Amino acid sequence: MNKLIESLIPIPVAAFGAWLGYLTGFPLGDLIGAICAVTALSKLGVRMRMPYPFVATVQLLLGISVGSIVTASMMRELTDFSILVGLLICMTTQIFVGYNWLRRMEKWGHIESLLGSIPGAMAAVMTVSGEQGPASGRIAFVHIVRLLALLAVVTIIAGGHADSVAPALGTLDNWLSVIPPAIAAVLAGYLLERFDVPAPYMLTGLLCTAAVNVGFPEANLHVPDPFAVIALILLGGLIGIRLKDITFKDVVRYIRAGLVVTALTFCTTLLVAFVMSKLTGKPFLTLFMSWVPGGVEVMTAAALLLKLDPAFVMLNHVVRMSIIHVSPVFLPKRLFQEQPAPLPQPQTEP
């Protein structure tokens, strides 16, 4: 089959699956529907691929979406270093316990264990793993299981309110205001790509959009929801293609791994939130909702329902997402090699 056709097939299939998933009304039903549709077609023997330009588009849209949430008032809130320190301690502990379980008990490779243990931001993790080596479906599967499990827990805590919201098309001004930072992000991302920077468009999209929001607050930058819909469809295709070789036996193992990592993440967050609550005087439940992995919108909505200082909760999740999106730049390239090349041995004279 022609490579162009193989590249185009996942898009309408993922879009159709996302539409069916959205009709179910389940939280994240559109993403799960897109993944299931592409995976099912792959299982039927239809060859599909997701070329790098599509992955770069997901990176760009993710970076722009996260950057558009950053505001000048959020930056001022970060002067309270206890917030950042507590978040970093919690994230580090979450990654540490998840990594060690996947590495030691599930016998995963070190990069798969690292990417599988990162708290939240499945989309960011998948674009990085697709670019930097082991494009294993097990990473996607563990993140999906954890995402659904945590979403269920948060929905229960919030009293069962997790209704899907119809995407807003946005105004013409919203669309026009995104164009300049998007163009700047593409140009800057292309330059970073020349230097082999991981996930370059995700980084530049975040920085360029955040710079506009912080430097020019009167611009009132708001990313229209169709940007997220496009990213979701492409991400569903990307993940679905990676799940095509997973067997039923693999599914059982990966569900177990995902549930264990989720439980470890949940317990770690409870512990760190309890300790930091005693040290800082912040309400325990507010810290827990701020540091447990989850989508910015879902966690902020849950905080509103529970009257838990939604601005503080949103700030922590935006910072967490920003750290995860930016961190690949600071990781050494050798980290993304399952078996790093041995160092050259010094030659001895005869």
Side-chain angles (χ1 to χ4, degrees), residues 55-76:
V55 179
T57 300
V58 177
Q59 291 180 10
L60 179 65
L61 295 176
L62 290 174
I64 290 175
S65 298
V66 175
S68 67
I69 307 174
V70 179
T71 62
S73 60
M74 284 186 178
M75 301 302 293
R76 287 192 293 269

Side-chain angles (χ1 to χ4, degrees), residues 17 24 31 43 158 160 168 197 252 285 296 309 322 338:
T24 65
L31 176 60
K43 287 290 187 181
V197 174
V252 174
L285 190 55
V296 177
D309 191 356
S322 300
E338 283 297 332

Side-chain angles (χ1 to χ4, degrees), residues 263-302:
L264 291 173
T265 300
F266 191 82
C267 293
T268 298
T269 308
L270 285 172
L271 177 61
V272 175
F274 177 77
V275 174
M276 293 303 294
S277 174
K278 295 298 183 182
L279 294 176
T280 64
K282 295 275 187 183
F284 162 73
L285 190 55
T286 299
L287 292 179
F288 172 75
M289 295 294 286
S290 299
W291 294 342
V292 70
V296 177
E297 298 84 357
V298 174
M299 303 307 296
T300 304

Side-chain angles (χ1 to χ4, degrees), residues 87 239 253 325 344:
L87 176 61
I239 297 176
R253 290 206 315 269
H325 282 66

Side-chain angles (χ1 to χ4, degrees), residues 61-298:
L61 295 176
L62 290 174
I64 290 175
S65 298
V66 175
S68 67
I69 307 174
V70 179
T71 62
S73 60
M74 284 186 178
M75 301 302 293
R76 287 192 293 269
E77 288 285 342
L78 289 179
T79 54
D80 182 0
F81 287 103
S82 63
I83 298 175
L84 185 59
V85 170
L87 176 61
L88 290 175
I89 292 174
C90 191
M91 288 181 61
T92 303
T93 310
Q94 289 169 343
I95 293 173
F96 177 79
V97 296
Y99 172 87
N100 277 279
W101 175 268
L102 295 175
R103 182 69 168 152
R104 299 177 185 276
M105 305 304 295
E106 300 293 338
K107 307 302 181 183
W108 285 20
H110 79 90
I111 182 57
E112 291 177 322
S113 300
L114 175 63
L115 294 177
S117 62
I118 291 177
M122 177 181 67
V125 170
M126 295 313 299
T127 57
V128 172
S129 67
E131 185 182 344
Q132 294 292 339
S136 172
R138 68 175 73 179
I139 300 174
F141 206 93
V142 166
H143 274 278
I144 292 171
V145 171
R146 179 167 56 186
L147 185 64
L148 293 176
L150 288 174
L151 182 62
V153 171
V154 171
T155 302
I156 293 172
I157 293 175
H161 298 278
D163 298 330
S164 300
V165 179
L169 295 179
T171 65
L172 179 60
D173 288 341
N174 295 147
W175 286 87
L176 294 178
S177 63
V178 175
I179 293 177
I183 293 176
V186 170
L187 296 176
Y190 180 79
L191 293 177
L192 292 183
E193 190 179 359
R194 301 303 97 188
F195 293 96
D196 294 327
V197 174
Y201 298 99
M202 189 160 58
L203 172 65
T204 56
L206 188 154
L207 293 180
C208 291
T209 313
V212 171
N213 257 358
V214 174
F216 307 95
E218 65 278 1
N220 193 25
L221 185 62
H222 174 73
V223 178
D225 289 346
F227 277 81
V229 174
I230 295 172
L232 180 147
I233 291 173
L234 293 176
L235 181 64
L238 175 67
I239 297 176
I241 292 172
R242 296 185 184 184
L243 296 180
K244 65 179 180 180
D245 296 324
I246 289 182
T247 64
F248 179 76
K249 184 178 180 180
D250 294 330
V251 168
V252 174
R253 290 206 315 269
Y254 298 162
I255 288 179
R256 180 191 64 189
L259 290 177
V260 171
V261 171
T262 301
L264 291 173
T265 300
F266 191 82
C267 293
T268 298
T269 308
L270 285 172
L271 177 61
V272 175
F274 177 77
V275 174
M276 293 303 294
S277 174
K278 295 298 183 182
L279 294 176
T280 64
K282 295 275 187 183
F284 162 73
L285 190 55
T286 299
L287 292 179
F288 172 75
M289 295 294 286
S290 299
W291 294 342
V292 70
V296 177
E297 298 84 357
V298 174

